[in-house]
Amino acid sequence: MKEKFDFTAEMAEAESIKSNPKHAFLEEESRLLDHNVQELAKLNDNVCKLRTEVEDLTNSIREYKPFIAEEMQKLTTDYGATLLCKFINQIDSKCKEAERRMKKAEHVIPIPTTAFYIAIILLITLFAFFVGIIVANAEIIHSAWIWKTVIGCSFAAIISITITIYLPRILNK
C-alpha cells in the first residue's frame, strides 16, 4: 500500500512564509508589476495603432487634391463679377468726368502765367498814366509835366515787366 504523504509540514512552512510581511509586500509588488506590464503592453499596442493611423493620414494628405464645391465656385465667381462691375463703373465715371473737363477746356484760351502778370502790370501802368494825366491837366496844363509822367510810367512798366520775366528764372536756380 502506498504511503500517504503528509503535507502538513509543507503547509505550515507555506503559511509561515505567507504570514511574513516582507513576503506579502513582494507579492503585492509582483502583482503590481504584472499589472504594469499588461498596461504597458496595451499602451504599446495603442501607440503602434496611432502611429499607423498618423502615417496613413500623412500619406492621404500628400495625395489630397483640393476640391471646391460648385456652390462656392459660383459664389466666388459672382463676387468677382460684382467687384469687376463696380471697378468698371468707377473707371467709366472718371473717364466721363475727364471728357467733361476736356470739353470745358476746349473753349478756353490758355495764357502763360508770365503773360498774365505782364498784362496786369501794363493795366496798372496805364491806370497810373491816366491818373497822372488827370493830375497834370487839373493843376498845370504844361507839356513838360505830361512828358515826365509818360516817361515815369513807361520806366515803371519796363522795370516791372523785366522783374516779372527774370525773377522766376532766378528763383528756380
Side-chain angles (χ1 to χ4, degrees):
M1 179 162 158
K2 288 186 179 177
E3 197 175 305
K4 288 188 180 179
F5 187 72
D6 187 16
F7 288 104
T8 54
E10 283 79 15
M11 292 293 284
E13 189 179 327
E15 283 184 16
S16 70
I17 292 174
K18 213 180 207 184
S19 63
N20 186 356
K22 187 175 183 182
H23 186 64
F25 175 74
L26 290 176
E27 281 184 7
E28 180 66 23
E29 192 173 286
S30 175
R31 187 184 66 77
L32 289 175
L33 285 174
D34 288 340
H35 181 70
N36 283 344
V37 167
Q38 290 172 357
E39 292 296 320
L40 281 174
K42 287 180 187 177
L43 183 62
N44 190 27
D45 292 341
N46 288 341
V47 167
C48 288
K49 182 180 175 185
L50 284 175
R51 186 176 188 176
T52 306
E53 288 176 1
V54 167
E55 287 175 355
D56 292 344
L57 184 62
T58 304
N59 292 336
S60 68
I61 288 175
R62 286 185 193 137
E63 297 171 1
Y64 176 74
K65 294 180 182 176
F67 175 74
I68 300 173
E70 289 179 26
E71 183 178 338
M72 188 55 97
Q73 287 177 349
K74 183 180 177 192
L75 287 174
T76 306
T77 306
D78 292 345
Y79 181 70
T82 305
L83 285 179
L84 190 60
C85 287
K86 286 181 182 178
F87 186 65
I88 289 171
N89 288 338
Q90 287 177 353
I91 290 173
D92 284 342
S93 67
K94 295 292 181 184
C95 286
K96 287 178 183 176
E97 184 180 337
E99 287 174 6
R100 185 179 49 80
R101 287 182 185 172
M102 288 170 54
K103 285 180 183 177
K104 263 187 178 178
E106 288 176 0
H107 303 295
V108 177
I109 299 171
I111 298 174
T113 54
T114 306
F116 176 74
Y117 288 124
I118 290 173
I120 298 295
I121 290 169
L122 288 175
L123 285 174
I124 292 172
T125 306
L126 288 174
F127 178 73
F129 178 73
F130 179 69
V131 169
I133 293 296
I134 290 174
V135 169
N137 284 333
E139 284 192 22
I140 307 171
I141 302 180
H142 195 276
S143 63
W145 181 254
I146 292 174
W147 285 112
K148 286 180 186 177
T149 305
V150 168
I151 290 171
C153 288
S154 298
F155 183 69
I158 290 170
I159 289 176
S160 299
I161 290 172
T162 306
I163 289 173
T164 303
I165 291 173
Y166 289 111
L167 186 63
R169 293 181 185 170
I170 292 170
L171 291 177
N172 286 337
K173 288 181 181 179

